[in-house]
């Protein structure tokens, strides 16, 4: 295995996981529906649309983070592959957590499951990062400051997802709104550090 | 992230979305069907086949447009990534809009939903293009005329999809036919500018 | 677009289509089944397993043919892209034709649908090939004999699939067996011309 | 076909198969569920979660093995492509075997089916390896010791899976636990030979 095939496999799982989100939309069986019935059935899917947008953003962010980390890395050992599988397993699980959230947007169980899934992904990212730091896998031209800032940012992200997940045990709708707020915060491009070098 | 991984991820979503269109075909549960029953059930899927062909063409066009734009671009910033996610979210949604259209080809709700989805994709393309122009992301050898012609073409495409979507509120079948006409117009190769350089 | 992205997109559709074949296996709803019930339900899926193996072989052959053709080609124009979409649309349809064949392996409608799908794919291959020949898209070092032999082989393949499809109208099981025989004939490696050069 | 497209196609099936595992999670239809009902329904999915984790590990291992073998290979002939299709067919079947195992984790039929699938994959790997050895497909700098050690390791893996499959006929739960033990044994990185060279 080399780094480019490691990245291509991960990209494949991100791209398939993000596309499978569409399976969260299903129409109930309608027997001889009028146009009014179909309109009503489609409109009732609006929580699914919000959950779809949320998870599209979340997987999009995870994919960007994956790139941001691995372009600094020069060596991939078996532990990295193992921890990366843990991360991809969380990613591939998101379509199920999303369709459950879309179907039951105001319940404790569904909002907590969603938060658990994101916390699982964030935990995997933190474990990967610790391992990369410990094993000296970063390229030589990566400054210790960059690494320290990344580690800090990932801890904060983990704390945000875990807090929102716990919130689901008391206030499911607030928890759902917090997931949206976190995703928007990370998605919206902000001033500095926003450029990506050409291929 | 670099340009080639940005393109590979987008290609993954296009290829996967286009393949998921097949999920729009489902047979009703047939209990001990005769050959006649099965034939009838398959023949009743003809609107699904038209919707399948339409969406195959639509995603095929979107994929070609994606290439046509990004091979002129030399720099991909975070705003481009964000707007590209907006486009991919529309693409990944097309299988659901298609199966709804195939199941209810003559209804306002389904033809309007389909048109909204295409207008959403076209909006994302126009936003991406505006951003690329504003931020000077095109390569130096791309002439202002080429860029202006592309911007114009995308505005016309947007207007076509939006008009067909609005038509769905009055004449669903005419709207469906208009989607087909637009897709055919863009798909059929025409004289000039039809060559693609080798790898 | 360049040739490598054209091939990567096509490979994506082949790989996703071949993996989606697994959706042809579904267990009926079993209420509190005993181990005996589950065993019986799984064993009743044996026609689905044959259909799965058949379609895995068929898509595998199509993927090999795609490579065999395009490594001889130096230029891809819009007509090629259009005809390639026609081919990919047949490929992406195979999972539905397969699950229908697996569910009703002895019926006229299902075996004919399967044959129609393969004939559709073979037609697309023949159209692509004609266009490539007519437009002079082959690389200079490809001999006219190689091209003529390929054209002949594709016509024979088309005739085989079309004949087997027509057979389905009289003898469905013989038609199914013919699909298997054709796939095996193409799949089993035979003596000469069996090597593929390294990357 | 060249080696890199052969690998990319295989990687696509591995990545797509691993992502489709999520379809093993389905909620039963709940009519107007309370939060308690939904919690109970989600908790009842715990065997599915174990089966999901198991298969994620299994496909992850198979993907690593694929890389480990083919980076030593310099030539891919049609027999290799044929045997590779046999392996990919087993991989693409794993999501169905997994959802059956998750739904009926203590039954003979489901645990045996799962073991048969893994034995099928291991058989394909052993056949590929024999063919590569016999046909002299390995690169010149690969030592006979490396090849002999790999052949031995694959025979042991095959014996492990086949034994666990046979166990399913007497002790399904022990068989399930054995699959988990084998996967963990291969997944957990161990001391030597754990580094992977950069791209």
């Amino acid at each position: 295995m080399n780094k480019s095939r490691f990245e291509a496999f991960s990209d494949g799982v991100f791209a398939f996981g993000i596309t499978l989100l569409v399976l969260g939309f299903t129409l109930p069986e309608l027997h001889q529906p009028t146009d009014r019935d179909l309109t009503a059935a489609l409109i009732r899917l609006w929580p699914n649309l919000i959950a779809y947008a949320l998870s599209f953003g979340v997987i999009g962010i995870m994919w960007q983070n994956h790139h941001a980390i691995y372009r600094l890395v020069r060596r991939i050992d078996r532990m990295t592959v193992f921890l990366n599988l843990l991360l991809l397993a969380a990613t591939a699980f998101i379509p199920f957590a999303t369709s459950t959230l879309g179907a039951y947007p105001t319940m404790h169980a569904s909002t907590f499951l969603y938060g658990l899934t994101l916390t699982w992904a964030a935990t995997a990212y933190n474990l990967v990062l610790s391992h990369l730091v410990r094993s000296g896998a970063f390229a030589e031209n990566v400054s210790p400051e960059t690494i320290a800032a990344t580690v800090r940012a990932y801890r904060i992200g983990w704390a945000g997802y875990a807090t929102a997940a716990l919130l689901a045990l008391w206030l499911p709708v607030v928890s759902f709104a917090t997931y949206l707020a976190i995703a928007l915060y990370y998605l919206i491009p902000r001033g500095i550090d926003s450029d990506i070098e050409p291929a």
Side-chain angles (χ1 to χ4, degrees), chain A:
Chain A
M1 187 172 354
N2 56 37
K3 194 177 136 183
S4 76
R5 296 194 63 187
F6 170 84
E7 291 179 316
F9 182 74
S10 305
D11 279 359
V13 175
F14 286 123
F16 306 160
I18 217 170
T19 316
L20 276 184
L21 292 173
V22 73
L23 300 186
F25 296 97
T26 43
L27 282 177
E29 288 227 12
L30 303 166
H31 297 288
Q32 311 264 359
T34 63
D35 215 309
R36 211 186 174 97
D37 296 337
L38 181 60
T39 306
L42 286 170
I43 286 175
R44 268 195 300 273
L45 292 176
W46 70 265
N48 301 70
L49 188 63
I50 297 183
Y52 176 79
L54 168 59
S55 291
F56 223 91
V58 163
I59 299 183
I61 292 164
M62 287 169 67
W63 169 69
Q64 288 185 59
N65 286 346
H66 202 270
H67 280 266
I69 291 183
Y70 286 102
R71 71 177 171 170
L72 307 180
V73 162
R74 71 180 153 74
R75 202 168 54 86
I76 290 177
D77 61 15
R78 284 179 70 93
M79 181 57 92
T80 308
V81 172
F82 175 65
L83 295 172
N84 190 55
L85 277 178
L86 200 68
L87 171 71
L88 296 180
T91 308
F93 188 77
I94 288 178
F96 175 68
T98 305
S99 65
T100 306
L101 182 66
Y104 308 104
T106 59
M107 290 207 175
H108 297 290
S110 47
T111 47
F112 185 60
L113 176 72
Y114 194 83
L116 268 188
T117 309
L118 299 195
T119 308
W120 165 13
T123 304
Y125 260 124
N126 277 280
L127 290 175
V128 160
L129 207 54
S130 299
H131 171 69
L132 293 173
V133 172
R134 252 198 338 265
S135 66
F138 286 103
E140 270 123 58
N141 60 340
V142 180
S143 73
E145 286 76 29
T146 303
I147 294 175
T150 309
V151 168
R152 237 184 350 261
Y154 276 67
R155 283 199 192 136
I156 293 171
W158 184 91
Y161 285 134
T163 307
L166 287 176
L167 254 176
L169 299 177
W170 286 274
L171 301 161
V173 177
V174 176
S175 165
F176 194 161
T178 310
Y179 301 137
L180 282 167
I182 297 176
L184 275 178
Y185 176 81
Y186 282 118
L187 268 182
I188 303 294
R190 277 180 310 276
I192 7 153
D193 197 30
S194 77
D195 275 8
I196 286 161
E197 81 282 15

